[in-house]
Amino acid sequence: MIRKAVLPVAGFGTRCLPASKAIPKEMITIVDRPVIQYVVNEAVKAGIRDIVLVTHASKSAIENHFDTHYELEATLEAKNKQELLDELRAIVPADVNIISVRQHEPLGLGHAVLCARPVIGDDEPFAVLLPDVLVDDEGLERNDLAGMLEAFEATGRSQLMVEEVPWENVHKYGIVSPQGEAPTAGNACPLAGVVEKPAREEAPSNLAVIGRYVLPGSIFPLLAETPPGAGDEIQLTDAIETLRQRDGVDAWRMRGKTYDCGHQLGYLEATLVYGRRHPRFGEGFRELLARYSQAR
């Protein structure tokens, strides 16, 4: 069983400015909880029990969110606000560990993952979840991350989660080149490579990598030897390409829906989707939407 996941949260969140100037972008809320909590919940539902946050000195709010706040809990208990108290205590299940390591310099995603090496080790597989992408599993019997973990355990090959995007948007993404037929939703296929932001006429498919990876611990020595690439940063994709050539890498085609909360419109869409079905606020939110739609 794959039990560990790495969440790189050390970035400055420049796409979310000015909202992320004073608070981490991962702490911007969708309805009633921060984006990072949805991502941690996704990992926990897939069976992950050790969450490794690769963080920065300016991101202490994230660590505090997942820590116990004894004074607040005591106040809620004294005021008999049991429902709120239960919500706070459920942020991190009792059998889940939140572990923080620091990325002291912004040297790229590959370097951020490498910072987790002392916790993960070179012999154990793990997941990587980019925390500004929400993967919605509404209506699914299990989430896509769980499917990726199972595929890794069955094949021993790294898994990249991919999503079909409109052909006119392929220039915005890393696009995979499948070996043979593209996989159907909920399945994986071997990769011939990944092309970064290709022109539409040069794209090998319209399947985009969307920020979920399952990797072997053996990627850490590769990352340690990977020279800086684009942007003078250590790129995770460069190490994955080395891994592909050596051992093979698969693309797992997701069944759910993604929301890019590092972009303002993606954040607004996620707020609409999660707000409409919220167990407490959903009905009132739908009424608000209907009211403003009629007013327009």
Side-chain angles (χ1 to χ4, degrees), residues 23-42 45 65-66 83-84 86-93 131 134 261 267 270-271 274-275 277-281:
I23 62 170
K25 66 175 182 178
E26 298 84 2
M27 291 301 294
I28 297 173
T29 57
I30 302 293
V31 191
D32 61 345
R33 61 202 63 197
V35 170
I36 187 73
Q37 188 174 332
Y38 290 95
V39 179
V40 167
N41 288 346
E42 174 193 349
K45 288 174 70 173
H65 179 72
F66 291 108
E83 186 175 355
L84 281 175
D86 291 342
E87 280 191 35
L88 283 187
R89 289 175 172 169
I91 289 174
V92 181
L134 293 188
C261 294
Y267 162 78
T271 299
Y274 285 81
R277 67 171 186 244
H278 193 280
R280 187 186 308 160
F281 306 118

Side-chain angles (χ1 to χ4, degrees), residues 4-55:
K4 294 177 180 173
V6 176
L7 277 62
V9 297
F12 290 125
T14 53
R15 290 197 302 162
C16 295
L17 288 170
S20 58
K21 180 184 177 184
I23 62 170
K25 66 175 182 178
E26 298 84 2
M27 291 301 294
I28 297 173
T29 57
I30 302 293
V31 191
D32 61 345
R33 61 202 63 197
V35 170
I36 187 73
Q37 188 174 332
Y38 290 95
V39 179
V40 167
N41 288 346
E42 174 193 349
V44 170
K45 288 174 70 173
I48 299 295
R49 287 300 175 267
D50 294 326
I51 307 288
V52 184
L53 302 175
V54 181
T55 186

Side-chain angles (χ1 to χ4, degrees), residues 102-133:
R102 288 284 178 90
Q103 182 185 23
H104 300 291
E105 297 180 78
L107 299 179
L109 177 58
H111 180 261
V113 173
L114 183 58
C115 289
R117 186 180 189 178
V119 180
I120 305 293
D122 291 2
D123 301 319
E124 188 172 352
F126 63 102
V128 176
L129 292 81
L130 302 191
D132 50 2
V133 176

Side-chain angles (χ1 to χ4, degrees), residues 11 18 21 82-83 94 100 103 121 134 136 146 151 154 159 174 185 193 201 225 231 261 279 288:
K21 180 184 177 184
Q82 191 61 42
E83 186 175 355
S100 294
Q103 182 185 23
L134 293 188
D136 188 6
Q159 304 289 317
E201 60 273 13
E225 297 169 1
C261 294
L288 284 174

